[in-house]
Amino acid sequence: MAFNNRVILPGSERQAPADSQQIGPVPRHETVLVTMILRRKNGQPLVMPETVPVSREVFAERYGADPGDAALVERFAHEYHLTVADIDLRKRQVHLTGTIAALHKAFGTDLALYQMHTGQQFRCRTGSLSIPKELAGVVIAVLGLDNRPVANAHFRVLSAAAAAAATSYNPPQVAALYNYPAGADGTGQTIGIIELGGGYNASDLQTYFSGLGINAPSVTAVSVDGGTNSPGGSADAEVMLDVEVVGSIAPGANIAVYFAPNTDQGFIDAITNAVHDTTRNPSVVSISWGGPEDSWTQQAQTAMNAALQDAATLGVTVTVAAGDNGSSDGETDGKLHVDFPGSSPYALACGGTTLQASSNTIASEVVWNEVASGEGATGGGVSIVFPLPSYQNSAGVPAQAQTGYAGRGVPDVAGDADPSTGYNVLVDGQNTVIGGTSAVAPLWAGLVALLNQKLGKPVGFLNPKLYSLGESVFQDITSGNNDDSGLGAYSAGPGWDACTGLGSPNGTAILNALSNGSGGTGSS
Ligand code: ZN
Ligand code: ZN
Ligand code: ZN
């Protein structure tokens, strides 16, 4: 009988989260949706995206899953009494459903019910998954068995204590300070936004945009793995911030908000749904969620990175918040961390600044670090997972300060993020000032929509182009650091740095450089 010899699924090992406890078994009859991610056709290693984005047809032909691999997984599912919900060769995904008992046999793992200190319950597994030998190398990840929360929303609400001394801006004011291109509103573009919780109220959006004298953009909620637009919780601040920032900068664009559960499965499925969405066809996707690199399983990180690689290959720009907890990324293990997926080499990682203006020009801009007053600091540093990408070869990225690893430097770019120089937004009927690198990802996504409209084609995978343009199209940030825990590793300085990347944008200068055809060849 086939499928009897089992092997470990590489990179699937995980431990129970520290701040949670086991409270019992998962009911045996419970049915779970599992995502299996398959290798690319011919095991093709897609290393760096092509200079010219490929069409969806060419992508499916070259980089999708092999139908033979999918058929093998179907036979495996049948053998183990799992139901195939759908197969998507472009996304290289097979969705299966099965009972806890069947999944136990299929993947060699036990699931237990755990509870976090917040009271939230989730299915948890420890150790590694196993798969039949026939699937070794064919399946690169199995997601959805363990559904612990994986990401934090990277927004910071200005505290009442700090409010008196604070400045705040409407997003279009920040766009003007960054010299965003005139005569463009994102018409013809779709901006995708990934949300792992919360929701928006359409009436709040109407009120907000009309208060700014802007026609409200078209906003559509897209459901992924059962996630829905569900306003009423604290994550609404993230959702409303994202929609209000992109919507006020690019009100002519269509905005598609992909809602998914806050699990590694939900996060990855949301990205693949956005990137491969042939209906709405986003040219840019904004992500303001993430978690420290070492909180992910290797298999989930590999699958997520491959999804972002798909985006780059298809010419979809993905902007990602770099985090709001300085060089520790909020962990207390005495180590330096960068945030994932911002640390993916295929993400445009967005760091944060403190921005002061006078008479509509920038008076000063430094690294966002308000740790002393409890108002956060930009994420940034060097990856311990991803090697230095070729586009950063000349950027002067230091070795990771604790391990010496020659990793990817984070962030790539920056923008205003300090809550004390934050953004005026409307959340669940309340006027609020919010900052965080959560604001910078949509700020950059809005710019990309304007660039795409002006250029008449998507800028696509922007990182290699921006690094070859260099400082002339940025406001270089040279002052400050993102130390939040005495680790003292990374400071700003001339040129790229591990707090603010290349700097904050001069939008019109970027447009002019890209339309002159500068910006390099796009890879290597
Ligand atoms: Zn599915
Ligand atoms: Zn750690
Ligand atoms: Zn700099």
Side-chain angles (χ1 to χ4, degrees), residues 23 33 91 122 124 163 198 261 295 311 329 362 390 409 431 456 472 493 501 514:
I23 56 170
L33 176 76
K91 296 178 192 163
F122 59 94
C124 181
S295 66
D329 204 26
I362 295 173
S390 54
N431 288 308
S472 63
L514 293 176

Side-chain angles (χ1 to χ4, degrees), residues 17 61 85 106 109 126 151 169 185 240 267 306 344 368 443 462 506 523:
E61 210 169 279
T109 191
T126 58
Y169 304 102
D185 66 358
M240 301 295 276
F267 202 165
S344 162
W368 164 37
L443 186 74
L462 199 46
N506 180 333
S523 69

Side-chain angles (χ1 to χ4, degrees), residues 294 331 333 337:
D294 64 5
E331 288 207 350
D333 56 7
H337 301 87

Side-chain angles (χ1 to χ4, degrees), residues 89-324:
L89 295 176
R90 275 175 317 137
K91 296 178 192 163
R92 295 178 292 110
Q93 289 179 346
V94 178
H95 281 102
L96 304 168
T97 57
T99 62
I100 295 294
L103 293 167
H104 166 79
K105 289 205 181 84
F107 298 109
T109 191
D110 284 306
L111 295 169
L113 197 61
Y114 272 64
Q115 183 165 305
M116 309 187 76
H117 66 277
T118 56
Q120 187 180 348
Q121 296 183 355
F122 59 94
R123 294 186 303 271
C124 181
R125 66 174 182 84
T126 58
S128 293
L129 298 174
S130 71
I131 51 173
K133 190 165 59 70
E134 291 86 341
L135 298 183
V138 171
V139 172
I140 62 169
V142 175
L143 307 170
L145 295 165
D146 183 310
N147 67 346
R148 75 185 69 179
V150 70
N152 302 308
H154 292 313
F155 69 89
R156 285 260 176 179
V157 178
L158 181 68
S159 69
T167 312
S168 64
Y169 304 102
N170 295 326
Q173 291 178 286
V174 177
L177 290 168
Y178 291 147
N179 201 20
Y180 275 25
D185 66 358
T187 295
Q189 304 298 316
T190 296
I191 302 170
I193 302 176
I194 304 297
E195 300 294 357
L196 306 179
Y200 61 82
N201 292 301
S203 63
D204 274 356
L205 295 179
Q206 200 68 46
T207 305
Y208 181 78
F209 291 115
S210 74
L212 293 178
I214 292 170
N215 288 329
S218 150
V219 182
T220 310
V222 184
S223 177
V224 177
D225 292 351
T228 56
N229 177 27
S230 309
S234 61
D236 294 356
E238 182 63 70
V239 178
M240 301 295 276
L241 172 71
D242 292 347
V243 175
E244 290 171 1
V245 170
V246 291
S248 59
I249 290 170
N254 294 313
I255 298 171
V257 190
Y258 298 83
F259 287 98
N262 185 0
T263 62
D264 54 14
Q265 176 189 39
F267 202 165
I268 291 165
D269 281 354
I271 292 174
T272 55
N273 271 276
V275 168
H276 293 284
D277 186 341
T278 52
T279 306
R280 297 163 200 91
N281 211 12
S283 60
V284 56
V285 173
S286 179
I287 301 174
S288 290
W289 298 72
E293 276 187 330
D294 64 5
S295 66
W296 293 73
T297 61
Q298 196 195 328
Q299 57 151 6
Q301 218 151 28
T302 300
M304 170 77 89
N305 195 50
L308 296 172
Q309 194 178 31
D310 286 7
T313 307
L314 286 163
V316 179
T317 315
V318 183
T319 64
V320 185
D324 300 344

